[in-house]
Amino acid sequence: MTTVPEFQTSPGMRDILPPESARWRRFVEVFAQVAESAGYGQVLSPLLEDLGVFQRIGDATDVVSKEMYDFVDKGGRHIALRPELTASICRAFVQHNPQMPWKIWYSGSMFRYEKPQRGRYRQFDQVGIEVLGADDPNLDVEIIALGWEFYAALGLQQVKLILNSLGEPDDRARYVQALKAYFEANLEELSPESRVTLEKNPLRVLDSKRPQDAALVAAAPRIAEFYSEQAAAHFAAVQAGLTALDIPFTVEPKLVRGLDYYRHTTFEYQGGTLDSAQNALGGGGRYDGLVEALGGKPTAGVGFALGLDRTLLACDDEGVFAPPSTAVDVFVVDTTGGAEALALTAQLRRAGLRADRAYENRSMKSQMKAADRSGAAIALIVGSNELEAGTVVVRPLRAEQVGDDTQSGQSVVARTDLLSHLTKVMS
Ligand code: HAM
């Protein structure tokens, strides 16, 4: 009978164990390469912010009104665990007043009190980029292309890019009004849940996946009918840029996204293998008013965040981006008490090799088993004979190195020649 431990992770929170944790780190490294190759610098910002920072996103979104982890700290400040990083980055921009355009990338954990399910967690990780201080449709294209390139670097093939524009704030306001009037005129046909959404945020009714709403949503007014000349030109330039870069996309007029700060371009990368409720691998858009809402001067902003957890699920489904090897290079087996293993592993590690060993002075057989499990290519064996002679037995462990007989191919090497011997063998 297995006993249930007294303490376990809270719902929607997970321990990421090796080797999966190595994959998480690699994910961020690949993203950093993509972002830094385009001139983006990393920002590390706190997990906690003044609650007000996130309230400025707008309280019409569930992320702000229902899902925030917030508390009053010992100094009486009302604090929140960050549910996303765009608002934090805008807060940092106002606080530090950096040179524009400010091109930054980030990675880290976000917290949202959501109903946990596959691909939806209460603590999840994002990588993202933001640019503040440049209102150029080419920048929207650059950003969308960087996300696209990143998915390609992971090996994902089934990612779809969905694109929309919400126009200028005035266009959006007129559209919201028209949408509200339209749904109100057809209230009887609308699902009870969408009627509640309509009260708070008519745009979000377009997100409804309920069959009862499908026909009404399909026939709803389209945002494109409300674009100003400038908004239409911006959107056309974004589409032309993506076409020029050979990035395929679908314009989806119903794409409004969950956060409320978007203007002009919005986009989402959707995974081909995930359940439709959780298929957004990442998304973003323009948020030209957010810096101002946080007390700064009017400043253009555009960026995206990509969900790490969900993207890795998509990688599993597509069989790409396997965990990198965390195996050591060599494993030291010492049957003389352990002091040799201590000295030898330290020497090897200083020389830049990945080296592990067994502990507790176990038998030769038990230590060789541990060496096998470690994934090391080579075992270095020190018994009393070797200790006396100042030598080490170098034994290849992988079948492909020595054929089927793992005993063969071993050599006895003087301790003084060990490093140069290993360098030769391992290359
Ligand atoms: P978001 O759409 O809320 O946008 O989140 C971006 C991505 O984070 C989602 O597409 C999804 O992959 C992942 N994600 C969100 N919630 C969860 C969850 N509960 N569990 C697992 N993954 C999740 C933003 O956060 C904006 N800040 C993006 C942005 C940046 N817009 C402009 N700049």
Side-chain angles (χ1 to χ4, degrees):
M1 202 179 72
T2 52
T3 49
V4 178
E6 185 182 356
F7 296 112
Q8 298 194 38
T9 46
S10 306
M13 310 224 168
R14 294 158 305 147
D15 297 312
I16 310 299
L17 307 178
E20 182 66 3
S21 48
R23 196 183 186 206
W24 280 50
R25 194 173 63 235
R26 183 85 195 107
F27 186 98
V28 177
E29 283 165 4
V30 173
F31 186 76
Q33 260 162 19
V34 169
E36 291 182 355
S37 74
Y40 292 71
Q42 185 180 16
V43 169
L44 304 169
S45 65
L47 289 179
L48 304 177
E49 295 272 358
D50 192 302
L51 175 70
V53 170
F54 302 116
Q55 282 173 331
R56 300 291 165 86
I57 293 172
D59 54 12
T61 65
D62 286 353
V63 171
V64 177
S65 60
K66 288 199 202 147
E67 297 167 0
M68 203 99 80
Y69 279 88
D70 63 311
F71 62 97
V72 176
D73 76 4
K74 291 184 178 28
R77 296 173 202 88
H78 204 156
I79 299 289
L81 276 170
R82 63 190 185 196
E84 61 114 53
L85 259 163
T86 310
S88 302
I89 294 299
C90 290
R91 190 270 310 139
F93 175 82
V94 176
Q95 183 172 343
H96 303 291
N97 197 22
Q99 186 84 37
M100 293 187 283
W102 198 40
K103 297 175 69 170
I104 65 94
W105 73 271
Y106 52 76
S107 70
S109 297
M110 313 296 146
F111 302 84
R112 297 182 190 177
Y113 196 83
E114 296 200 76
K115 196 166 165 227
Q117 50 200 293
R118 185 177 190 258
R120 190 174 292 280
Y121 311 101
R122 290 183 176 167
Q123 175 172 344
F124 59 96
D125 271 48
Q126 289 183 340
V127 293
I129 58 183
E130 313 286 352
V131 181
L132 290 165
D135 179 15
D136 183 335
N138 276 331
L139 185 55
D140 307 27
V141 176
E142 170 177 306
I143 283 174
I144 295 171
L146 286 174
W148 189 256
E149 216 177 279
F150 172 65
Y151 291 122
L154 296 181
L156 283 173
Q157 310 227 323
Q158 298 187 40
V159 180
K160 269 176 63 184
L161 170 61
I162 312 294
L163 188 69
N164 192 21
S165 167
L166 295 174
E168 311 233 347
D170 277 356
D171 311 343
R172 185 182 151 141
R174 281 184 293 120
Y175 177 55
V176 170
Q177 243 171 19
L179 212 51
K180 192 159 179 259
Y182 165 80
F183 284 125
E184 274 171 1
N186 296 282
L187 213 52
E188 256 78 283
E189 291 171 52
L190 208 58
S191 67
E193 295 88 341
S194 286
R195 275 182 231 172
V196 176
T197 310
L198 180 63
E199 283 299 307
K200 291 201 301 184
N201 190 346
L203 273 180
R204 294 288 285 169
V205 178
L206 296 177
D207 263 355
S208 165
K209 305 240 161 45
R210 284 173 283 274
Q212 189 186 339
D213 299 326
L216 210 53
V217 167
R222 296 290 169 104
I223 178 82
E225 297 155 27
F226 296 81
Y227 290 155
S228 64
E229 222 172 278
Q230 204 238 335
H234 189 104
F235 194 31
V238 172
Q239 295 181 59
L242 289 172
T243 306
L245 294 185
D246 280 331
I247 296 176
F249 61 90
T250 306
V251 174
E252 174 47 85
K254 294 204 299 283
L255 179 72
V256 294
R257 310 235 333 109
L259 292 152
D260 220 22
Y261 44 57
Y262 293 111
R263 303 174 178 185
H264 290 286
T265 317
T266 56
F267 56 94
E268 222 163 73
Y269 305 100
Q270 295 180 350
T273 58
L274 300 172
D275 195 53
S276 74
Q278 265 77 243
N279 72 350
L281 300 179
R286 272 207 170 267
Y287 49 87
D288 296 344
L290 190 56
V291 168
E292 211 178 342
L294 283 159
K297 297 195 186 88
T299 308
V302 56
F304 67 58
L306 314 179
L308 185 156
D309 313 62
R310 236 178 245 183
T311 305
L312 287 183
L313 289 177
C315 288
D316 289 340
D317 291 345
E318 289 200 34
V320 298
F321 199 64
S325 167
T326 51
V328 291
D329 301 316
V330 294
F331 195 96
V332 177
V333 172
D334 172 8
T335 58
T336 69
E340 288 309 301
L342 182 68
L344 202 50
T345 46
Q347 185 195 2
L348 295 163
R349 290 170 191 160
R350 271 186 220 130
L353 288 170
R354 297 191 290 182
D356 199 3
R357 54 164 293 191
Y359 304 97
E360 299 178 321
N361 201 18
R362 294 283 167 94
S363 70
M364 170 81 171
K365 191 172 164 203
S366 152
Q367 292 196 44
M368 284 309 295
K369 262 198 198 153
D372 258 343
R373 266 199 311 269
S374 77
I378 288 170
L380 302 177
I381 306 164
V382 183
S384 45
N385 291 344
E386 288 77 25
L387 182 60
E388 208 168 296
T391 58
V392 176
V393 173
V394 177
R395 182 183 294 176
L397 291 174
R398 304 241 178 93
E400 71 266 21
Q401 293 171 303
V402 287
D404 286 339
D405 178 6
T406 49
Q407 297 294 321
S408 65
Q410 75 176 33
S411 43
V412 180
V413 178
R415 283 282 282 267
T416 44
D417 299 336
L418 184 61
L419 280 179
S420 61
H421 178 82
L422 286 176
T423 314
K424 225 182 298 156
V425 177
M426 309 217 29
S427 64

